[in-house]
Amino acid sequence: MVGTPCGVPPSTALRHRHSAARGQGPVAWLRGTFSMNFHRNDLSHVLGAILALGLTQTAFAQETKPAKPPAAQDEPQVLEAVTVTGTRIQGLDLKGAVQAYQIDRELIDESGATSVIDLFNQLPIAAGGGGTFSTASAGALSGDTPVGASGVSLRGLGTSATLTLINGRRASISAFARGQESFIDASAIPLAALERVEILPNGASALYGADAVAGVVNYVLRKDFEGLEASLSYGDSTAKSDEGRVNFNLVAGKAFGDHHVTAVVDYFKRNAFYLRDRAASRDSFRPSQQGFHPSFNDLFFMTNDQTEGPGGSGCASADFKVGNLGEYCQVNANRYVSSQDEQESVGGLISHSYSFGDGATWYNELLFQSSKAQGTSSPANFSRAPIDPENPNWPTTLKDDLVAEGKVRRFSSYYGFPIFAWGKLIDSRAVEVESQSYRFVTGLKGRLASGWTYDAGLTIGGNDRTQEGLSGLYRSKAFYDANLGNLCTDGSAVRRWDVNLSRPSATYVGATCEAAGKTTLWYNPFGGQTQQPGGLTDRLETKARREGRSRAYALDGSLSGDLFTLAGRQVKGAFGAEYRRETLRDTPSGDAVATATNPEPILGFSSTSAKAERDQWAVYGEVYAPLSDRLDLQLAARYDHYDAFGGDFNPKVSARFRATDALTFRANWSTSFRAPSLAQSGAGVLLSSYRVNCRITPQACGGSATANGQALLSEDVGNPELKAENAKTWGGGLLFEPTDDIEIKLDYWNIEHRNLVGVAEDDFIRRALAGAFPVKGPGQLPTGQAGVEVTNGFVTDAHFQISNLGYQKTRGVDFSYTQHLPESSAGRFTATFDATYLIAFDRKASADALIERLAGDYLYPRFMANARIRWSKDAWRASLGARYVSRYTDQPDPRTLAAVGIAANTKVKVDASFTLDGSVSYDFSEHSYIQLNVRNLLDEAPPRVLGSSANVDLYNHDLIGRFATLRLTHRF
């Protein structure tokens, strides 16, 4: 990716930041600060083969005042820095050629963001479908986002379909995958190290990599800084809970002859935020039926489950319920789940360049970050846990209830046979993750005597992560042994019962610790599980240490220059080649690895495993041809080759037609090819969970679409036969500037994505029941084998296989409007409006599956819009922004509908949301300013979402409420 600032000398950080407010034209100000260029380079299918290639981005004019000695501050000088992103050809002015979105340093400061992912949470192009994720969705469970990590997805297509670059070069993946999808961790980039973020929301495979299906996000790092700047910020919500965030950073830079060094150090710390801290998420709509007071059933004499009822140390009256399986003591799991990790990080950037006398430049950059984060999920369930009837802790009242329910003469009738328990451990599952990321680039760039420019570089990057349990991770075998009297207080064990871990059960043998002159170490599952003997927790809990390591090594080189003249116009080109090697090792602790004899080694917890490596090389070329004074064409092509998946050729054609000085049309067409990620191609067995949706798969629920589907403790298993994904992207748009103060952009985009790699649970179940995968009885499906288990017509377990699915097609429209009002005594005003309308998002999981029409459905709002008014006068600046998310269909299951008193099969809608943000800053001296940013000014609660266990949509809405950040910046 090319970025060529033209002729801008170093300036003070503060003047660079505020140059727009002091003597520049309004159009230049906007382009230098918040350029939302939602332009989809498209053409119709007729022009498609002629028109769409190179990811040529709009040229943004960034105007700043040069630094001068205080005595020389006379008339302001404006020097323009033109940056062209989306083409490999240097020096092109492609204004209006491509849809693009730029977030520069001004907007980063104005937004109040404290992490990189904060910049994307409210962008329409990065919303929908849960693809863009922050630590709000993180947790200790295998289905959660990795603790302390975040990722960016464009158009709702997932992080694997969005290519992430840093300074135009590819970034290395996180050592821990999201499920079994590799991603680039946005949290590993220190926010203070960013100069700007460039987003190209259309296919870019022909230029930057075959996997740029949905587009490219390029993080541009700071360089050529002069002076020393310190910034300190503190933010917190206005609620009674403490969600404090502290950020401190230093930026320093200086030229030493032909050398220039820029250094950034960034420190960030924030407190945890829990679902219980907000009324909207505090109480689950459907509390867990497995509680701290377990339900018991011998599965022989008894019909209905029994639990410790109200009174004494039994279940509280408000939580005691009777369901279709009998008695249970419900638990509001939301009281234990964190919505935001506790996190602390230190990172930075060192950038160095050396200019040779012949115009060549040697450049180096080192980006690094070290972080520690803690995530908390609800306590683990245990299901069908065998309990010894002779456990001395059985309450008398409960024993009487079991006698009455089983219609036996006395409780001793149960002796020699296990009584099974369904309950929940009392400790939350919590883990801590430490991460170290680094990236080093060294290269040489310059200009040859022929006028051609060159750039060649070496990139080395990596990520190391370790995860350790803090609480609530119980070894299943030790837990069962402690409930059956197999453990002795001296650390030894006896064979009182033989335990079958593949389908929890036990067979009585009869040995006892007492017979060996020892004492039995009994687990006490009664009285809310709060009274346990000393030393037992150490026997049960594990840290389940997990270690991950990813590495990337790359060499690249490119040339750019004039090719020939065509009808008196200069045709330009760029050509290059890349080589890349990637490795991934994700190794969980042995006691967290599922086996055929122990499919759930830790209760309600699993670590994914992966081991993979690959070599990839590519060659590419791009040509820019001005066919007339008003029409230009860009052609690009790229060939990528993966050692395990072969090669693929991807072209792109794009065109720009300037109908008038005020009106420009643009169009593009391109193809993409994405090999399965390392975590997918090298996947092991991942323990997961899924609740069968009877409405979608009634055949999994005894044929009843209104039944309650079974909650599965399932598996995701690897697939060595995975093939690559492919996609086609096309679209078109226009840029209309009727005056110097008005800018209108309208773009249409269309993406067809096939052979998707992933897991489609409902479709897998349908295919398995139709004979595509084995169907077994309870406990008969070996770990690691794809298939399902069926009990009395209901699917009660599933081992889902990662596979190539069918297709997904998405299309929509982006609109942007910018208005600069004439400067007056009241100051300067600028208004912007940006919106995305999702026309369709269709997904078909397999050839025999039904088409899912997701636009306007769960997590896929059709319409999202941002509006903002900016004002500046003298030393003051302020902005007021609004965000709108349209209604969409909810997806609750029948149990949730019944819990909230809504009739079954009722179509429920998630309400639209509207929030306001504000920012104000003041320059209280020549070198210092103070800024206050408030998100969600009116403290609007997010709309109710019955289909989410958190009660809210953590991907498209904000739960934390009003949040204020105060920042002080000083230039020394």
Side-chain angles (χ1 to χ4, degrees):
M1 189 168 282
V2 179
T4 54
C6 301
V8 178
S11 63
T12 69
L14 291 174
R15 287 180 187 141
H16 181 83
R17 175 184 181 275
H18 296 312
S19 59
R22 297 179 180 172
Q24 296 185 13
V27 174
W29 177 34
L30 180 73
R31 292 174 186 163
T33 54
F34 186 41
S35 301
M36 291 189 74
N37 295 350
F38 282 113
H39 299 336
R40 213 17 105 181
N41 310 317
D42 308 327
L43 250 198
S44 65
H45 274 302
V46 177
L47 296 177
I50 309 173
L51 302 177
L53 183 110
L55 202 72
T56 41
Q57 179 196 342
T58 300
F60 292 106
Q62 293 186 328
E63 303 177 6
T64 69
K65 290 194 300 186
K68 295 164 107 178
Q73 297 293 333
D74 41 25
E75 293 299 320
Q77 296 184 16
V78 179
L79 296 180
E80 185 176 287
V82 178
T83 301
V84 177
T85 307
T87 177
R88 298 280 189 176
I89 302 172
Q90 294 193 20
L92 292 183
D93 180 6
L94 296 176
K95 186 179 189 305
V98 180
Q99 180 184 11
Y101 181 13
Q102 177 169 290
I103 310 171
D104 76 347
R105 194 69 225 175
E106 174 95 11
L107 180 59
I108 292 173
D109 291 338
E110 180 186 292
S111 70
T114 53
S115 65
V116 170
I117 199 62
D118 288 344
L119 302 175
F120 294 88
N121 285 340
Q122 297 186 4
L123 296 184
I125 57 171
T132 295
F133 62 89
S134 68
T135 55
S137 57
L141 309 187
S142 57
D144 294 331
T145 298
V147 171
S150 58
V152 177
S153 161
L154 299 177
R155 305 298 188 198
L157 296 179
T159 55
S160 59
T162 300
L163 179 60
T164 299
L165 306 175
I166 301 176
N167 279 355
R169 289 183 166 90
R170 299 175 69 104
S172 54
I173 61 174
S174 165
F176 291 169
R178 185 194 190 194
Q180 285 167 326
E181 181 183 30
S182 296
F183 66 96
I184 308 300
D185 183 10
S187 299
I189 303 173
L191 185 64
L194 290 183
E195 181 63 33
R196 63 184 182 276
V197 182
E198 300 162 338
I199 306 169
L200 307 175
N202 55 26
S205 296
L207 289 172
Y208 299 117
D211 49 352
V213 177
V216 173
V217 174
N218 182 37
Y219 299 101
V220 180
L221 305 179
R222 302 175 86 163
K223 64 176 182 177
D224 299 333
F225 186 87
E226 284 289 335
L228 175 63
E229 179 183 281
S231 182
L232 174 66
S233 72
Y234 176 77
D236 201 352
S237 73
T238 56
K240 294 181 179 178
S241 51
D242 181 7
E243 288 88 39
R245 302 179 186 179
V246 176
N247 180 226
F248 174 73
N249 59 71
L250 282 172
V251 184
K254 186 172 179 58
F256 303 91
D258 294 325
H259 295 268
H260 191 282
V261 176
T262 298
V264 179
V265 177
D266 184 272
Y267 171 79
F268 173 70
K269 187 179 189 303
R270 73 176 182 193
N271 296 331
F273 169 50
Y274 294 86
L275 295 181
R276 63 176 178 260
D277 292 330
R278 295 296 181 270
S281 56
R282 184 175 300 135
D283 298 312
S284 173
F285 297 133
R286 196 191 68 200
S288 171
Q289 293 188 11
Q290 293 183 234
F292 302 140
H293 292 83
S295 300
F296 299 92
N297 196 313
D298 79 323
L299 300 180
F300 187 79
F301 292 114
M302 298 172 60
T303 300
N304 296 313
D305 295 348
Q306 300 294 305
T307 191
E308 295 176 81
S313 60
C315 180
S317 298
D319 295 327
F320 181 77
K321 306 291 180 181
V322 178
N324 58 349
L325 297 177
E327 298 175 354
Y328 64 91
C329 185
Q330 70 181 16
V331 169
N332 175 21
N334 286 17
R335 299 282 177 146
Y336 305 91
V337 178
S338 63
S339 176
Q340 175 180 280
D341 304 337
E342 178 181 328
Q343 191 169 7
E344 185 174 18
S345 64
V346 177
L349 166 71
I350 300 174
S351 173
H352 164 258
S353 63
Y354 173 71
S355 297
F356 296 94
D358 58 0
T361 299
W362 175 42
Y363 58 89
N364 302 275
E365 63 189 48
L366 174 63
L367 184 70
F368 59 92
Q369 175 116 314
S370 177
S371 67
K372 180 185 293 186
Q374 297 178 3
T376 306
S377 299
S378 62
N381 291 339
F382 52 86
S383 300
R384 196 186 159 92
I387 310 295
D388 191 335
E390 297 184 69
N391 186 316
N393 298 297
W394 279 93
T396 300
T397 302
L398 183 58
K399 289 196 293 184
D400 293 343
D401 290 342
L402 267 63
V403 169
E405 175 63 26
K407 297 181 176 58
V408 295
R409 298 184 62 182
R410 60 184 64 88
F411 190 72
S412 59
S413 301
Y414 293 111
Y415 288 2
F417 301 93
I419 294 176
F420 298 95
W422 287 260
K424 187 183 297 292
L425 300 175
I426 62 173
D427 294 326
S428 296
R429 287 164 288 184
V431 298
E432 181 175 83
V433 174
E434 294 188 17
S435 174
Q436 287 80 40
S437 300
Y438 71 91
R439 169 188 171 88
F440 173 69
V441 178
T442 183
L444 190 67
K445 63 182 179 180
R447 184 176 299 273
L448 302 173
S450 63
W452 279 61
T453 60
Y454 63 89
D455 190 345
L458 166 68
T459 303
I460 301 173
N463 176 233
D464 294 291
R465 290 180 187 263
T466 59
Q467 175 179 289
E468 288 194 347
L470 299 177
S471 66
L473 307 186
Y474 279 32
R475 299 182 183 91
S476 56
K477 185 179 187 307
F479 179 73
Y480 300 148
D481 282 339
N483 277 284
L484 292 167
N486 286 346
L487 301 183
C488 303
T489 54
D490 67 346
S492 62
V494 296
R495 285 186 63 207
R496 181 174 174 83
W497 297 78
D498 282 338
V499 181
N500 177 8
L501 296 172
S502 61
R503 178 170 172 78
S505 186
T507 303
Y508 185 71
V509 177
T512 65
C513 295
E514 282 71 19
K518 304 175 182 179
T519 303
T520 301
L521 187 65
W522 289 100
Y523 186 84
N524 183 0
F526 311 106
Q529 305 177 69
T530 58
Q531 301 297 319
Q532 302 299 340
L536 178 60
T537 300
D538 293 337
R539 299 281 294 274
L540 302 183
E541 278 196 323
T542 174
K543 290 185 178 298
R545 184 179 175 87
R546 174 186 175 191
E547 297 181 348
R549 182 180 187 270
S550 76
R551 292 291 184 270
Y553 312 91
L555 284 169
D556 67 86
S558 64
L559 292 168
S560 173
D562 296 339
L563 292 173
F564 54 86
T565 58
L566 178 65
R569 299 176 183 87
Q570 189 65 54
V571 176
K572 297 177 178 292
F575 306 92
E578 300 173 2
Y579 168 78
R580 183 176 178 86
R581 176 170 178 77
E582 293 181 290
T583 64
L584 175 67
R585 300 288 186 275
D586 187 352
T587 308
S589 168
D591 58 8
V593 177
T595 65
T597 58
N598 190 5
E600 190 186 11
I602 299 176
L603 294 171
F605 180 83
S606 174
S607 290
T608 184
S609 64
K611 181 180 180 181
E613 58 186 38
R614 77 168 44 137
D615 293 316
Q616 178 250 334
W617 58 267
V619 292
Y620 60 85
E622 178 189 1
V623 174
Y624 165 76
L627 303 182
S628 72
D629 291 340
R630 294 192 177 274
L631 176 65
D632 51 57
L633 189 69
Q634 287 178 272
L635 306 174
R638 182 183 178 101
Y639 179 81
D640 289 86
H641 186 275
Y642 294 83
D643 56 2
F645 296 95
D648 193 67
F649 176 81
N650 290 284
K652 181 172 182 177
V653 183
S654 64
R656 173 181 57 170
F657 176 66
R658 294 179 293 278
T660 69
D661 291 343
L663 182 61
T664 300
F665 294 95
R666 54 179 174 240
N668 69 49
W669 174 91
S670 63
T671 66
S672 300
F673 164 93
R674 191 189 78 85
S677 67
L678 291 179
Q680 290 170 333
S681 60
V685 175
L686 171 66
L687 297 189
S688 58
S689 62
Y690 185 72
R691 179 173 289 278
V692 176
N693 191 327
C694 298
R695 178 177 57 85
I696 298 176
T697 54
Q699 57 268 53
C701 306
S704 173
T706 60
N708 291 321
Q710 295 295 300
L712 311 180
L713 293 175
S714 53
E715 294 179 4
D716 293 346
V717 299
N719 182 357
E721 304 300 322
L722 288 177
K723 297 180 176 61
E725 303 173 351
N726 54 74
K728 292 181 181 179
T729 302
W730 63 276
L734 61 85
L735 168 65
F736 182 48
E737 296 177 299
T739 72
D740 289 342
D741 295 327
I742 296 177
E743 190 175 60
I744 300 172
K745 305 162 191 173
L746 181 67
D747 288 278
Y748 169 83
W749 44 271
N750 187 308
I751 303 172
E752 299 181 6
H753 198 180
R754 296 183 179 273
N755 293 328
L756 304 173
V757 175
V759 173
E761 291 88 353
D762 294 306
D763 183 66
F764 179 89
I765 291 173
R766 284 194 299 266
R767 293 168 61 202
L769 295 177
F773 297 97
V775 178
K776 303 285 188 179
Q780 297 179 6
L781 188 65
T783 289
Q785 179 181 350
V788 299
E789 294 182 359
V790 177
T791 307
N792 298 326
F794 281 74
V795 171
T796 52
D797 195 8
H799 297 178
F800 302 111
Q801 186 178 59
I802 304 173
S803 59
N804 288 100
L805 309 175
Y807 67 78
Q808 61 185 11
K809 300 179 181 180
T810 181
R811 52 196 171 95
V813 175
D814 297 326
F815 174 79
S816 177
Y817 180 88
T818 301
Q819 173 75 63
H820 305 279
L821 301 180
E823 186 173 4
S824 68
S825 59
R828 178 184 289 114
F829 292 87
T830 300
T832 62
F833 176 80
D834 298 277
T836 292
Y837 182 79
L838 182 62
I839 298 173
F841 199 118
D842 299 339
R843 181 180 294 158
K844 187 176 173 67
S846 68
D848 300 324
L850 298 175
I851 297 177
E852 300 176 80
R853 305 197 184 278
L854 301 177
D857 207 344
Y858 186 65
L859 299 184
Y860 290 87
R862 280 192 182 272
F863 183 71
M864 301 184 71
N866 290 340
R868 185 170 293 273
I869 297 176
R870 289 185 172 82
W871 166 82
S872 64
K873 181 176 173 57
D874 301 327
W876 290 92
R877 277 150 309 281
S879 70
L880 179 65
R883 180 176 188 246
Y884 175 80
V885 180
S886 67
R887 299 176 71 202
Y888 61 84
T889 302
D890 207 342
Q891 201 175 63
D893 61 25
R895 290 176 57 198
T896 302
L897 289 174
V900 297
I902 299 177
N905 298 323
T906 300
K907 286 192 174 181
V908 182
K909 292 286 188 179
V910 175
D911 291 337
S913 69
F914 179 83
T915 56
L916 294 174
D917 301 328
S919 175
V920 60
S921 66
Y922 175 71
D923 296 341
F924 57 85
S925 76
E926 178 70 15
H927 303 292
S928 303
Y929 74 89
I930 190 169
Q931 180 186 56
L932 174 66
N933 175 277
V934 182
R935 290 192 176 188
N936 196 349
L937 275 167
L938 303 181
D939 200 22
E940 293 288 335
R944 182 178 77 167
V945 181
L946 297 178
S948 167
S949 61
N951 302 356
V952 297
D953 176 357
L954 295 175
Y955 296 102
N956 294 305
H957 301 128
D958 179 29
L959 175 62
I960 203 166
R962 184 190 295 119
F963 195 94
T965 302
L966 186 66
R967 180 185 302 275
L968 175 64
T969 300
H970 180 69
R971 170 68 186 272
F972 296 92

